[in-house]
Amino acid sequence: MIISLARVITFGLQNFWRNIGLSLTTITVLVLTLLSVNILFVVNITTNRAVSAVNDQVDVSIYFRPDVQLDEAREVEAFVKSFSDVVETTLKAPDVVLAEFIKQHEREPAVIASIKELDKNPLPAVLVIKSGNPAMYRTIVEALDVPEYKLLIESKTFDNHSLVIDKINVITTRVTYLATGLTGVFGLIAFLIIFNAIRVAIYSQREEISITKLVGASNWFIRGPFLFSGLLYVVLSFGITSVLVYFGLRVLDPYIAVLFDNAFSLQQQFMAHALKLMSIQFGVVLLLVAVSSALAMRRHLRV
Amino acid sequence: MIKFKNVSKVYTPDSVGVKNIYLDVQPGEFVCVVGASGSGKTTLAKLMFAEERPTEGAIHIGDWDITHISQREIPELRRQIGVVFQDFKLLPKKTVFENVAFALQVAGAASKRIRKVVPELLDVVGLKDKGERYPFQLSGGEQQRVVVARALAHQPKIIVADEPTGNLDALNTKEVIDIFKQINEFGTTVILVTHNREIVNSLKRRVVTLDKGEIINDVEKGRYHI
C-alpha cells in the first residue's frame, strides 16, 4: 500500500511537471481566488472596526435643570440603565461639570472670569449615556419625554453620527459585493481551468493510461496521480496565498493603524482569526479542486 | 481454463463482433485463432481480458465467471492474463527495463522484487543486455519481445496475443513465435490471434477458424484453411 502510494505520488509529480504551463496557470487562478477571499475578510474587519470607532464617539448628554437634586438625577440614571443596550452611564454632579468647564476653557480668561463673577454654579448636573447600539439613542431620548422626567430635564444633546455610519455601511456593502463577485468569478475560472488541466493531462497521457489499464493497474492507481496533481494545486496555491497575505498585511498594517490612532492592528486581527480563516479557505479550495477533478476524470478518464 | 458458452457480442444490429461462440480451451493449450479481417478474432480476444463485455452467453476464466465482471475486478483479471498487441503499446519515455518493471509497479510489487524479476524476464525474451535502451532504439521484433516480457511479469496462466507478428518481418516473427512456444512449454496457455498462414501451418497446434463472428472450424492439430 505504501509502495503504491509512493508510486502514485511520483506519477502525480510527473503529471504536474509535464504540464507545467497549465499547472502554473491553474495555481495562479486559485491564488487570485484565495486573495479575493482574503480581501473580503480585510474589508470586513477594517470597516467593522471603523463603524465601531465611530460608534464609540457617539453619546447622549442629558442636561438637568439647575434646581434638580442629585437624587432625582440618579433616578433618571437608573431608568436609563434599565435599557438593555445601554452600556455606560455617567452622572456628573454640578461641581464636576463646573470643574470640567473651567478646565476646558482655561485659556479663555474672559469665560473663566464671567463664571467667577456669578455667586453660584450656573451649570446643572449632566447625565452622559453610551449605548452599544446607536439606533437606541433615539428611543432613549424619546423615553425621557414622559412628563415625570421632562420637568427635570433642561435639554438633550444627541450628536447624530448616523450619517457617517450609514456611509461606512454603504461602502462596506459595495466593497463586500464586489469582493464576493470577484471571488465567485475567480472560483468559476479556477473550476474551469482545473477541469481543463486534468482533461489535458488525461488526453496527453491516454496511451500511457490505456497501457496502465492493460497491465492490471487498479482504478485508484490510474486516478491517483491526477488526484495528487489536484492536491498539489491546492497546497501550492494555499501556500503562495498565505505568504502573499502575510507580507501584504505587514506592508498594509502601519497605514491602517494610523487611521485608528494606532489602536488597531490589521495583522493582529488577521492572526487572531488565522486558523479559522485558513481552514475554511483550504477546505473550499480542496472541495473546488476535488469536484472539478472528479468531474474531469468521470468524463474523460474511463477506467 | 477458458470457457465460452454461447457468447455473442453485438455492437449494433448491423455490427456483430462474435455470435454463438462455444469454446473450451484446456490449461497449457496453444490455440491459434484465425480468420479474415472483420471475422471477430480481436473481439474474441478482447472478451477474454474483459476489454469487451458479452451481450449474451457466459465466459469463464478458470473458475471465475467474468461475464459480468465489475470494474473493480478487472485489474485482478488482467494480472492473470498477459496481453500482447500488434502495435506493441510500449511507453516511449521509459527504458526496456522500466517498461517491464511498470507492470509490476502498478501491481504494488516491491522494488527489490522488481530488480530481481525484470532481468529474469528480459533473459527469457533474449534482451538481457538491452534493459537500458529505449523502445525507439530497438527493432520491431525486439520491441515485441519487450511486450512479451511485460506480459509475463505477473506470471500469468494465459497469454493472449492479438496479431503479435503483424508488424514484423519473417525473422523477427519466428523469434517471437519461438518465445510463445517456449512459454507454452512452461505450461502457460497461449491464445494466438493471427492471419499469418505460415505461422499457423508451422505450429501444428489447435486452430479455431472464425468467419463473420462464428466459429466455422475447430481442429486439434490444424492448418490455415480460408
Side-chain angles (χ1 to χ4, degrees), chain B residues 24 26 29-32 203-208 217-223:
Chain B
D24 194 347
Q26 296 302 311
E29 257 195 295
F30 194 126
V31 180
C32 297
L203 278 168
K204 298 188 182 77
R205 304 293 178 102
R206 181 178 171 189
V207 178
V208 173
N217 208 357
D218 187 349
V219 184
E220 192 64 30
K221 284 189 178 177
R223 291 176 62 82

Side-chain angles (χ1 to χ4, degrees), chain B residues 112-125:
Chain B
K112 196 176 167 186
R113 184 168 167 247
I114 293 172
R115 283 196 297 273
K116 181 179 178 290
V117 170
V118 175
E120 291 171 2
L121 291 168
L122 291 177
D123 195 23
V124 169
V125 297

Side-chain angles (χ1 to χ4, degrees), chain B residues 5 14 17-18 20-21 24 81 83 86-87 93 113 115 130 150 153 158 177 189 196 210:
Chain B
K5 211 163 153 187
D14 300 335
V18 291
N20 307 327
I21 298 288
D24 194 347
I81 300 178
V83 185
Q86 180 178 356
D87 58 352
K93 289 177 184 168
R113 184 168 167 247
R115 283 196 297 273
K130 296 189 175 175
R150 187 180 67 192
I158 302 166
I177 294 300
T189 306
N196 188 313
L210 286 172

Side-chain angles (χ1 to χ4, degrees), chain A:
Chain A
M1 186 66 188
I2 292 168
I3 294 171
S4 295
L5 190 65
R7 285 177 187 149
V8 162
I9 290 170
T10 308
F11 294 145
L13 285 170
Q14 282 173 1
N15 283 355
F16 183 88
W17 187 247
R18 282 179 192 170
N19 298 295
I20 188 70
L22 206 55
S23 301
L24 292 179
T25 310
T26 309
I27 289 168
T28 306
V29 177
L30 280 175
V31 167
L32 289 173
T33 310
L34 286 172
L35 278 179
S36 55
V37 172
N38 282 288
I39 289 169
L40 199 66
F41 183 74
V42 167
V43 167
N44 203 16
I45 54 175
T46 310
T47 49
N48 277 349
R49 178 66 196 182
V51 169
S52 142
V54 173
N55 281 344
D56 283 349
Q57 290 169 17
V58 181
D59 57 29
V60 169
S61 296
I62 308 292
Y63 295 89
F64 293 96
R65 292 182 188 279
D67 55 335
V68 169
Q69 299 299 304
L70 211 52
D71 285 347
E72 291 172 307
R74 284 201 184 100
E75 202 180 307
V76 176
E77 184 186 20
F79 171 71
V80 169
K81 271 187 174 171
S82 68
F83 287 85
S84 60
D85 284 312
V86 170
V87 291
E88 194 185 338
T89 56
T90 312
L91 181 60
K92 296 175 184 173
D95 49 339
V96 175
V97 177
L98 179 65
E100 282 181 0
F101 183 86
I102 291 170
K103 195 177 180 194
Q104 202 177 345
H105 296 88
E106 61 189 354
R107 291 183 184 174
E108 297 167 73
V111 176
I112 302 295
S114 314
I115 284 285
K116 282 185 177 169
E117 282 289 309
L118 298 168
D119 292 340
K120 59 176 191 173
N121 180 2
L123 299 173
V126 177
L127 177 63
V128 181
I129 306 164
K130 268 193 173 292
S131 168
N133 177 9
M136 277 304 291
Y137 287 124
R138 195 168 299 281
T139 312
I140 295 166
V141 167
E142 282 169 7
L144 291 172
D145 274 345
V146 291
E148 187 185 352
Y149 299 128
K150 205 173 178 179
L151 292 170
L152 305 176
I153 296 167
E154 178 79 44
S155 65
K156 294 169 264 185
T157 63
F158 176 28
D159 293 333
N160 196 345
H161 290 60
S162 60
L163 263 175
V164 180
I165 292 169
D166 284 350
K167 274 190 179 170
I168 291 174
N169 283 337
V170 167
I171 293 167
T172 308
T173 309
R174 284 185 186 166
V175 174
T176 304
Y177 280 153
L178 185 70
T180 308
L182 274 178
T183 307
V185 170
F186 284 138
L188 184 67
I189 293 171
F191 180 88
L192 293 173
I193 286 186
I194 295 161
F195 183 89
N196 198 45
I198 302 283
R199 189 183 69 83
V200 168
I202 291 169
Y203 185 76
S204 64
Q205 292 165 57
R206 62 196 184 287
E207 185 69 19
E208 192 170 327
I209 292 166
S210 84
I211 294 166
T212 311
K213 285 195 275 183
L214 271 179
V215 296
S218 61
N219 294 345
W220 93 267
F221 194 92
I222 296 168
R223 290 194 161 131
F226 296 104
L227 285 175
F228 182 76
S229 307
L231 188 66
L232 216 54
Y233 296 153
V234 175
V235 172
L236 287 176
S237 57
F238 185 73
I240 292 168
T241 308
S242 301
V243 171
L244 288 177
V245 168
Y246 178 76
F247 286 105
L249 285 175
R250 279 189 71 167
V251 171
L252 210 61
D253 206 28
Y255 298 101
I256 300 280
V258 165
L259 296 177
F260 297 100
D261 295 330
N262 292 316
F264 171 70
S265 165
L266 188 59
Q267 201 172 358
Q268 273 176 12
Q269 284 292 315
F270 212 89
M271 289 303 163
H273 298 92
L275 190 67
K276 186 179 165 192
L277 186 69
M278 289 170 111
S279 306
I280 291 171
Q281 288 184 45
F282 191 82
V284 169
V285 176
L286 190 65
L287 191 72
L288 187 75
V289 171
V291 171
S292 52
S293 308
L295 277 177
M297 285 193 287
R298 191 174 163 181
R299 189 162 173 170
H300 300 287
L301 181 62
R302 308 225 180 270
V303 292

Side-chain angles (χ1 to χ4, degrees), chain B residues 1-7 18-26 29 31-34 40-41 43-45 47-48 58-61 160 189-193 206-210 214-219:
Chain B
M1 176 57 56
I2 303 172
K3 235 179 209 163
F4 277 56
K5 211 163 153 187
N6 196 25
V7 171
V18 291
K19 63 181 176 186
N20 307 327
I21 298 288
Y22 283 90
L23 182 67
D24 194 347
V25 178
Q26 296 302 311
E29 257 195 295
V31 180
C32 297
V33 178
V34 302
K41 304 188 297 291
T43 303
L44 189 74
L47 286 164
M48 290 178 189
I59 303 171
H60 285 81
I61 302 292
V160 177
T189 306
V190 177
I191 308 293
L192 176 65
V193 175
R206 181 178 171 189
V207 178
V208 173
T209 309
L210 286 172
E214 288 182 283
I215 294 178
I216 56 164
N217 208 357
D218 187 349
V219 184

